[in-house]
Amino acid sequence: MFYIIAAVLAVPSVHKREVPQEHSHDLILDQVRPLIQKSGTAFAKIDPVFGTLANAAATTAINSNGLKGDDADVACLQQNLADACITGAAGNKNGIIACVQFRALERNTAKIGQASDTCTKQPKSKELAGLKQHQDPAGNGAAQNNKDVEIQVAKVAKSLGFSDQEAVNFAQRTSTFQAAGNDPSGRGNTCDFDPGNPVNQSPIVATKDGTVFGLAVKKGQKVDCGIVATLEGNKSKLVPAASDKDILAAIGGG
């Protein structure tokens, strides 16, 4: 596991855009991690956090695991991990939707407004067909892309047998942050582990009781910084690109 620890710790010095943000959706990563590990695939030993990191860190994981050919395509690591996750879910719809949510998460890039590379390979799992990742909302075309991504997550959730409101919640939980302007730090409006900020403590716990995208949390409960920031309503809160109305109209709900 050394290569995982070393690569993650190296991230802040390598990537400048919205970094670190890879722990903003830790609850989703926590769900998919054991599913990937038991998938029996070539990706079983890669931590899902690498699927949300920028290309340099993701390449470290690919090389450390000796992946070759199509498996070594850094633009497709997130999709490949999501495919492995669905294999590990073994038909369980709660596991599958977590894998789908993971595929939809924004990846780090080198600067504010820069889009992450798109995987052009077809996924193995039908639930991932047509699904891409969120993009930095400050980028050109990101608003529509992110709206489409959230709607697609909801469509998959509905196809798995979840209710309309559950589909909305699953989709919006994958959302990213508010668009940032010219930020010399490159962090924008993201959140992550930050010992100097009570919102971003590790472990991250809810600061008060509340409900975020259908997830009921209690004060002191371990969550992730995206949940905490949204509860607090601060600048690092998650902002869905697709409204409830948008999603319900797309999935035939009401």
Side-chain angles (χ1 to χ4, degrees):
M1 297 293 288
F2 174 78
Y3 67 89
I4 291 178
I5 295 171
V8 173
L9 290 178
V11 169
S13 65
V14 176
H15 311 290
K16 297 180 180 179
R17 184 296 221 226
E18 293 202 340
V19 173
Q21 70 159 351
E22 61 275 359
H23 293 292
S24 60
H25 293 82
D26 255 354
L27 292 186
I28 294 175
L29 298 188
D30 288 347
Q31 285 179 280
V32 305
R33 185 173 290 109
L35 300 178
I36 293 171
Q37 289 172 346
K38 70 178 185 179
S39 67
T41 68
F43 303 92
K45 294 183 179 180
I46 298 181
D47 193 274
V49 72
F50 285 101
T52 65
L53 296 180
N55 288 350
T59 298
T60 298
I62 288 170
N63 292 340
S64 296
N65 283 270
L67 300 180
K68 305 293 183 183
D70 286 346
D71 288 348
D73 186 345
V74 68
C76 293
L77 179 59
Q78 185 180 29
Q79 178 174 287
N80 288 335
L81 286 168
D83 261 325
C85 180
I86 289 177
T87 297
N92 180 281
K93 72 174 187 178
N94 292 308
I96 292 172
I97 195 59
C99 305
V100 171
Q101 287 180 297
F102 167 74
R103 175 64 184 96
L105 299 182
E106 182 185 355
R107 291 181 59 211
N108 290 351
T109 54
K111 60 183 179 180
I112 290 176
Q114 180 179 338
S116 58
D117 296 334
T118 300
C119 178
T120 58
K121 182 180 70 173
Q122 288 298 311
K124 295 178 181 177
S125 307
K126 65 180 185 299
E127 294 86 358
L128 301 179
L131 184 60
K132 298 180 291 185
Q133 69 269 26
H134 278 79
Q135 298 288 358
D136 180 351
N140 292 333
Q144 186 62 52
N145 175 84
N146 295 349
K147 179 179 178 179
D148 292 344
V149 168
E150 290 165 22
I151 286 173
Q152 184 61 26
V153 171
K155 287 180 176 179
V156 176
K158 188 70 181 293
S159 74
L160 291 171
F162 289 102
S163 71
D164 291 346
Q165 190 57 55
E166 287 173 324
V168 170
N169 294 339
F170 284 129
Q172 293 181 338
R173 178 67 182 94
T174 68
S175 60
T176 190
F177 308 95
Q178 301 179 86
N182 183 21
D183 179 0
S185 74
R187 295 185 64 157
N189 291 325
T190 63
C191 68
D192 201 0
F193 297 158
D194 182 357
N197 186 335
V199 173
N200 297 339
Q201 292 294 316
S202 176
I204 299 171
V205 298
T207 52
K208 57 185 176 181
D209 294 353
T211 302
V212 179
F213 307 129
L215 178 66
V217 297
K218 296 290 185 182
K219 182 178 180 179
Q221 177 183 337
K222 183 180 182 297
V223 285
D224 55 42
C225 68
I227 292 293
V228 175
T230 307
L231 276 172
E232 292 290 336
N234 66 26
K235 71 174 186 176
S236 296
K237 66 183 179 181
L238 299 174
V239 181
S243 67
D244 290 28
K245 183 178 180 180
D246 292 331
I247 295 173
L248 291 172
I251 64 175

PDB file of all heavy atoms in Angstrom, residues 8 24 84 103 126-127 135 141 159 169 209 221 227 246 251:
ATOM      1  N   VAL A   8      -0.674   9.835  -2.864  1.00  0.00           N
ATOM      2  CA  VAL A   8      -1.688  10.746  -2.352  1.00  0.00           C
ATOM      3  C   VAL A   8      -1.040  11.896  -1.609  1.00  0.00           C
ATOM      4  O   VAL A   8      -1.412  13.052  -1.750  1.00  0.00           O
ATOM      5  CB  VAL A   8      -2.681   9.996  -1.438  1.00  0.00           C
ATOM      6  CG1 VAL A   8      -3.617  10.994  -0.772  1.00  0.00           C
ATOM      7  CG2 VAL A   8      -3.488   8.997  -2.256  1.00  0.00           C
ATOM      8  N   SER A  24     -13.536  15.271  -1.236  1.00  0.00           N
ATOM      9  CA  SER A  24     -14.797  15.979  -1.073  1.00  0.00           C
ATOM     10  C   SER A  24     -15.997  15.047  -1.121  1.00  0.00           C
ATOM     11  O   SER A  24     -17.077  15.388  -0.643  1.00  0.00           O
ATOM     12  CB  SER A  24     -14.941  17.056  -2.155  1.00  0.00           C
ATOM     13  OG  SER A  24     -14.916  16.468  -3.442  1.00  0.00           O
ATOM     14  N   ALA A  84     -14.800  -2.039 -12.587  1.00  0.00           N
ATOM     15  CA  ALA A  84     -14.373  -3.026 -11.597  1.00  0.00           C
ATOM     16  C   ALA A  84     -15.295  -3.010 -10.390  1.00  0.00           C
ATOM     17  O   ALA A  84     -15.644  -4.056  -9.830  1.00  0.00           O
ATOM     18  CB  ALA A  84     -12.930  -2.741 -11.167  1.00  0.00           C
ATOM     19  N   ARG A 103     -18.174   7.214 -10.902  1.00  0.00           N
ATOM     20  CA  ARG A 103     -17.800   7.527 -12.292  1.00  0.00           C
ATOM     21  C   ARG A 103     -18.122   8.974 -12.634  1.00  0.00           C
ATOM     22  O   ARG A 103     -17.442   9.586 -13.474  1.00  0.00           O
ATOM     23  CB  ARG A 103     -18.530   6.586 -13.257  1.00  0.00           C
ATOM     24  CG  ARG A 103     -18.315   6.904 -14.738  1.00  0.00           C
ATOM     25  CD  ARG A 103     -16.871   6.724 -15.140  1.00  0.00           C
ATOM     26  NE  ARG A 103     -16.620   7.102 -16.527  1.00  0.00           N
ATOM     27  CZ  ARG A 103     -16.160   8.281 -16.927  1.00  0.00           C
ATOM     28  NH1 ARG A 103     -15.901   9.237 -16.029  1.00  0.00           N
ATOM     29  NH2 ARG A 103     -15.943   8.546 -18.201  1.00  0.00           N
ATOM     30  N   LYS A 126     -23.167  -1.853 -18.607  1.00  0.00           N
ATOM     31  CA  LYS A 126     -24.207  -1.074 -19.283  1.00  0.00           C
ATOM     32  C   LYS A 126     -24.613   0.146 -18.472  1.00  0.00           C
ATOM     33  O   LYS A 126     -25.053   1.160 -19.029  1.00  0.00           O
ATOM     34  CB  LYS A 126     -25.424  -1.955 -19.557  1.00  0.00           C
ATOM     35  CG  LYS A 126     -26.170  -2.472 -18.348  1.00  0.00           C
ATOM     36  CD  LYS A 126     -27.364  -3.323 -18.751  1.00  0.00           C
ATOM     37  CE  LYS A 126     -28.227  -3.768 -17.565  1.00  0.00           C
ATOM     38  NZ  LYS A 126     -27.479  -4.589 -16.609  1.00  0.00           N
ATOM     39  N   GLU A 127     -24.469   0.058 -17.152  1.00  0.00           N
ATOM     40  CA  GLU A 127     -24.859   1.181 -16.294  1.00  0.00           C
ATOM     41  C   GLU A 127     -23.971   2.405 -16.491  1.00  0.00           C
ATOM     42  O   GLU A 127     -24.342   3.521 -16.105  1.00  0.00           O
ATOM     43  CB  GLU A 127     -24.816   0.763 -14.817  1.00  0.00           C
ATOM     44  CG  GLU A 127     -25.835  -0.281 -14.420  1.00  0.00           C
ATOM     45  CD  GLU A 127     -25.336  -1.708 -14.670  1.00  0.00           C
ATOM     46  OE1 GLU A 127     -24.203  -1.874 -15.198  1.00  0.00           O
ATOM     47  OE2 GLU A 127     -26.071  -2.654 -14.339  1.00  0.00           O
ATOM     48  N   GLN A 135     -17.139  18.267 -14.766  1.00  0.00           N
ATOM     49  CA  GLN A 135     -15.996  19.110 -15.098  1.00  0.00           C
ATOM     50  C   GLN A 135     -16.009  20.351 -14.220  1.00  0.00           C
ATOM     51  O   GLN A 135     -17.035  20.728 -13.649  1.00  0.00           O
ATOM     52  CB  GLN A 135     -16.030  19.504 -16.578  1.00  0.00           C
ATOM     53  CG  GLN A 135     -15.940  18.348 -17.552  1.00  0.00           C
ATOM     54  CD  GLN A 135     -14.541  17.710 -17.595  1.00  0.00           C
ATOM     55  OE1 GLN A 135     -13.611  18.155 -16.926  1.00  0.00           O
ATOM     56  NE2 GLN A 135     -14.402  16.645 -18.377  1.00  0.00           N
ATOM     57  N   GLY A 141     -18.606  25.196 -21.326  1.00  0.00           N
ATOM     58  CA  GLY A 141     -19.490  24.052 -21.544  1.00  0.00           C
ATOM     59  C   GLY A 141     -19.692  23.174 -20.334  1.00  0.00           C
ATOM     60  O   GLY A 141     -20.419  22.174 -20.408  1.00  0.00           O
ATOM     61  N   SER A 159     -33.492   3.191 -13.379  1.00  0.00           N
ATOM     62  CA  SER A 159     -33.500   1.886 -14.058  1.00  0.00           C
ATOM     63  C   SER A 159     -33.183   0.749 -13.102  1.00  0.00           C
ATOM     64  O   SER A 159     -33.563  -0.396 -13.341  1.00  0.00           O
ATOM     65  CB  SER A 159     -32.502   1.886 -15.220  1.00  0.00           C
ATOM     66  OG  SER A 159     -31.166   1.807 -14.754  1.00  0.00           O
ATOM     67  N   ASN A 169     -31.592  12.410  -5.484  1.00  0.00           N
ATOM     68  CA  ASN A 169     -30.578  12.509  -4.429  1.00  0.00           C
ATOM     69  C   ASN A 169     -29.241  11.912  -4.863  1.00  0.00           C
ATOM     70  O   ASN A 169     -28.175  12.507  -4.642  1.00  0.00           O
ATOM     71  CB  ASN A 169     -31.066  11.807  -3.167  1.00  0.00           C
ATOM     72  CG  ASN A 169     -32.272  12.492  -2.539  1.00  0.00           C
ATOM     73  OD1 ASN A 169     -32.522  13.671  -2.789  1.00  0.00           O
ATOM     74  ND2 ASN A 169     -33.012  11.758  -1.731  1.00  0.00           N
ATOM     75  N   ASP A 209     -26.850  18.597  12.940  1.00  0.00           N
ATOM     76  CA  ASP A 209     -27.831  17.711  12.326  1.00  0.00           C
ATOM     77  C   ASP A 209     -28.338  18.341  11.023  1.00  0.00           C
ATOM     78  O   ASP A 209     -28.421  19.574  10.907  1.00  0.00           O
ATOM     79  CB  ASP A 209     -29.033  17.495  13.254  1.00  0.00           C
ATOM     80  CG  ASP A 209     -28.674  16.739  14.522  1.00  0.00           C
ATOM     81  OD1 ASP A 209     -27.534  16.256  14.627  1.00  0.00           O
ATOM     82  OD2 ASP A 209     -29.536  16.658  15.426  1.00  0.00           O
ATOM     83  N   GLN A 221     -21.255  12.785  13.252  1.00  0.00           N
ATOM     84  CA  GLN A 221     -21.189  11.618  12.371  1.00  0.00           C
ATOM     85  C   GLN A 221     -20.098  11.812  11.334  1.00  0.00           C
ATOM     86  O   GLN A 221     -19.934  12.898  10.771  1.00  0.00           O
ATOM     87  CB  GLN A 221     -22.539  11.425  11.679  1.00  0.00           C
ATOM     88  CG  GLN A 221     -22.585  10.278  10.676  1.00  0.00           C
ATOM     89  CD  GLN A 221     -23.943  10.187   9.972  1.00  0.00           C
ATOM     90  OE1 GLN A 221     -24.957  10.671  10.491  1.00  0.00           O
ATOM     91  NE2 GLN A 221     -23.963   9.580   8.803  1.00  0.00           N
ATOM     92  N   ILE A 227     -20.272  17.221   2.282  1.00  0.00           N
ATOM     93  CA  ILE A 227     -21.486  17.202   3.102  1.00  0.00           C
ATOM     94  C   ILE A 227     -21.442  18.327   4.131  1.00  0.00           C
ATOM     95  O   ILE A 227     -22.407  19.073   4.317  1.00  0.00           O
ATOM     96  CB  ILE A 227     -21.638  15.842   3.812  1.00  0.00           C
ATOM     97  CG1 ILE A 227     -21.931  14.729   2.792  1.00  0.00           C
ATOM     98  CG2 ILE A 227     -22.742  15.901   4.870  1.00  0.00           C
ATOM     99  CD1 ILE A 227     -23.265  14.842   2.102  1.00  0.00           C
ATOM    100  N   ASP A 246     -35.404  19.565 -13.294  1.00  0.00           N
ATOM    101  CA  ASP A 246     -34.695  19.075 -14.483  1.00  0.00           C
ATOM    102  C   ASP A 246     -34.630  17.559 -14.480  1.00  0.00           C
ATOM    103  O   ASP A 246     -34.888  16.897 -15.504  1.00  0.00           O
ATOM    104  CB  ASP A 246     -33.255  19.611 -14.511  1.00  0.00           C
ATOM    105  CG  ASP A 246     -33.165  21.100 -14.731  1.00  0.00           C
ATOM    106  OD1 ASP A 246     -34.053  21.664 -15.378  1.00  0.00           O
ATOM    107  OD2 ASP A 246     -32.177  21.705 -14.238  1.00  0.00           O
ATOM    108  N   ILE A 251     -36.453  11.909 -16.107  1.00  0.00           N
ATOM    109  CA  ILE A 251     -36.682  10.496 -15.756  1.00  0.00           C
ATOM    110  C   ILE A 251     -38.170  10.131 -15.742  1.00  0.00           C
ATOM    111  O   ILE A 251     -38.540   9.022 -15.372  1.00  0.00           O
ATOM    112  CB  ILE A 251     -36.038  10.126 -14.404  1.00  0.00           C
ATOM    113  CG1 ILE A 251     -36.700  10.912 -13.252  1.00  0.00           C
ATOM    114  CG2 ILE A 251     -34.547  10.377 -14.440  1.00  0.00           C
ATOM    115  CD1 ILE A 251     -36.181  10.503 -11.869  1.00  0.00           C
TER     116      ILE A 251
END
